[in-house]
Amino acid sequence: MSARPVIGLTTYVESARWGSWEVEAALLHCWYLDAVRAAGGLAVLLPPEPDCADALDRVDALVLIGGADIGPDRYGAEPHATTDVPRVERDASEIALCRRAIDRRMPLLGICRGLQIMAVATGGSLIQDLPDAGLGLVHREFPGAFTEHEVRLEPGSLVSRIYGADSLRVNSSHHQGVLDPGGLAPTGWALDGLIEAAEVPGLPFGLGVQWHPEHPDRRTAESPLFTALVAAVTGQ
Ligand code: MN
């Protein structure tokens, strides 16, 4: 019997409250852990650390999770009024992890902010405020809310093959999006033209999605994505 593939997931670092504590914590929704476990993977958390990319020696795949907006200085822009205060350590470590994972041709999945990290880490840039950009579609009604929209997938792309479809109904909870995909090849778009999925060309499994496949309401619909990530480790 073979050991489960080890899937490294980045974490939030936020002030959090539980028991008698209210402290800065490195944390992650159990949603992600449940999704990885259900797909047959063994989840380990990779909080921001100097030289964090060295941790990739010990894991088989990397998931860049959701979270606050990336500091606009990372892609040479001034902050928009609605852009979050940057999580400097997270930005630095996740960009480093992303680049190292690509160098190592390691299976890589970016989720929401994770897709945006993949774009910025490969030289791209972001739209800082989608309503202000006036693309037309609602991608988030208010912080913490999920809405839904259609995504058109590039036929034959990795994401299209994973879901076995050329279009997909996805959840959506983001107010920023990819402007310049950098070194990524876009393979999924919302009907307003926004990039919703993008891939690392030449990598067996390097995919970022703007939606939230980890959400428990989407467990069944999104299980092909996590199953494909774990399968990519063993080349199945
Ligand atoms: Mn969206």
Side-chain angles (χ1 to χ4, degrees):
M1 197 163 74
S2 61
R4 284 187 285 165
V6 179
I7 313 298
L9 300 104
T10 56
T11 74
Y12 291 76
V13 178
E14 301 288 340
S15 179
R17 196 161 66 118
W18 72 98
S20 55
W21 302 101
E22 182 165 4
V23 293
E24 284 286 294
L27 73 171
L28 181 62
H29 306 51
C30 286
W31 300 351
Y32 289 91
L33 308 182
D34 295 342
V36 166
R37 187 185 312 113
L42 174 59
V44 298
L45 302 187
L46 303 175
E49 282 288 330
D51 306 322
C52 59
D54 291 346
L56 295 186
D57 292 344
R58 310 292 185 89
V59 304
D60 300 311
L62 174 66
V63 179
L64 299 164
I65 63 147
D69 303 331
I70 298 164
D73 58 315
R74 300 283 175 181
Y75 48 94
E78 292 296 320
H80 186 278
T82 60
T83 296
D84 295 327
V85 173
R87 272 57 168 182
V88 176
E89 287 79 17
R90 270 197 75 182
D91 289 353
S93 70
E94 291 180 4
I95 288 169
L97 282 163
C98 179
R99 289 177 177 158
R100 182 80 65 90
I102 291 171
D103 285 348
R104 298 183 62 135
R105 301 178 58 76
M106 174 179 280
L108 167 65
L109 173 63
I111 293 176
C112 195
R113 167 189 157 95
L115 164 67
Q116 297 170 8
I117 287 281
M118 289 171 67
V120 170
T122 59
S125 64
L126 304 181
I127 301 169
Q128 293 191 48
D129 189 84
L130 292 172
D132 199 27
L135 291 184
L137 208 65
V138 174
H139 291 271
R140 185 183 76 180
E141 287 179 34
F142 53 87
F146 287 89
T147 184
E148 280 192 4
H149 62 69
E150 204 79 16
V151 171
R152 181 175 59 83
L153 305 178
E154 179 74 29
S157 62
L158 174 64
V159 66
S160 171
R161 284 183 278 122
I162 287 170
Y163 290 98
D166 290 347
S167 75
L168 202 61
R169 191 100 191 137
V170 301
N171 59 9
S172 184
S173 185
H174 57 108
H175 83 115
Q176 299 199 337
V178 174
L179 175 62
D180 173 355
L184 308 179
T187 52
W189 300 264
L191 300 185
D192 60 3
L194 185 69
I195 295 169
E196 289 268 342
E199 301 176 13
V200 183
L203 225 61
F205 193 109
L207 170 63
V209 300
Q210 187 58 74
W211 60 91
H212 284 276
E214 79 285 4
H215 194 285
D217 289 352
R218 303 288 298 161
R219 185 59 38 82
T220 304
E222 295 287 354
S223 70
L225 179 57
F226 290 98
T227 300
L229 173 71
V230 172
V233 169
T234 49
Q236 289 167 347

